[in-house]
Amino acid sequence: MLVLSRKKGESIIIQDQIEVTVLAVEGDTVRIGISAPKHIDIFRQEIYASIQEANRESATPLEADIEAFMERLRSAEIKKD
C-alpha cells in the first residue's frame, strides 16, 4: 500500500485520469473528492464488498433450487409419456 500525506486542497493523480483531492479534514473524518472518467466505477469499500457478495450469491445456485428444477423436469417427462 502506498501511503501519502496530503493537506486540504492538495491532490494525487492516478494514471493520468483520476484525481483525488482532500476537501476537508474535521477530527477523524476526511472529505475527499474524486474526479474520474464516467466509465470508471467508484464505490465506498463497504458497498463494493456488498456488491461482490451479492454477485457470488447469485452465481452459486442453491442445491434446493437445482433439485426442484430436476423434479419439474422429471414430472414433465412423465406427463409427456
Side-chain angles (χ1 to χ4, degrees):
M1 174 189 301
L2 173 64
V3 179
L4 301 171
S5 296
R6 299 278 74 202
K7 294 179 182 174
K8 181 180 173 184
E10 294 181 333
S11 300
I12 61 169
I13 305 296
I14 303 170
Q15 292 195 350
D16 297 327
Q17 296 183 11
I18 302 169
E19 181 176 3
V20 180
T21 304
V22 177
L23 301 177
V25 180
E26 300 170 6
D28 290 343
T29 303
V30 177
R31 291 180 51 101
I32 61 171
I34 303 169
S35 297
K38 297 251 184 230
H39 70 276
I40 296 177
D41 294 328
I42 301 170
F43 300 103
R44 294 188 327 244
Q45 185 277 333
E46 62 274 16
I47 299 299
Y48 183 77
S50 177
I51 291 168
Q52 293 301 307
E53 179 61 25
N55 287 342
R56 279 191 295 278
E57 287 175 4
S58 66
T60 305
L62 299 174
E63 283 188 36
D65 290 341
I66 293 172
E67 188 57 40
F69 176 72
M70 294 302 291
E71 187 59 37
R72 278 185 268 149
L73 282 177
R74 288 185 202 107
S75 296
E77 287 176 3
I78 293 170
K79 290 178 185 177
K80 194 175 174 183
D81 293 336

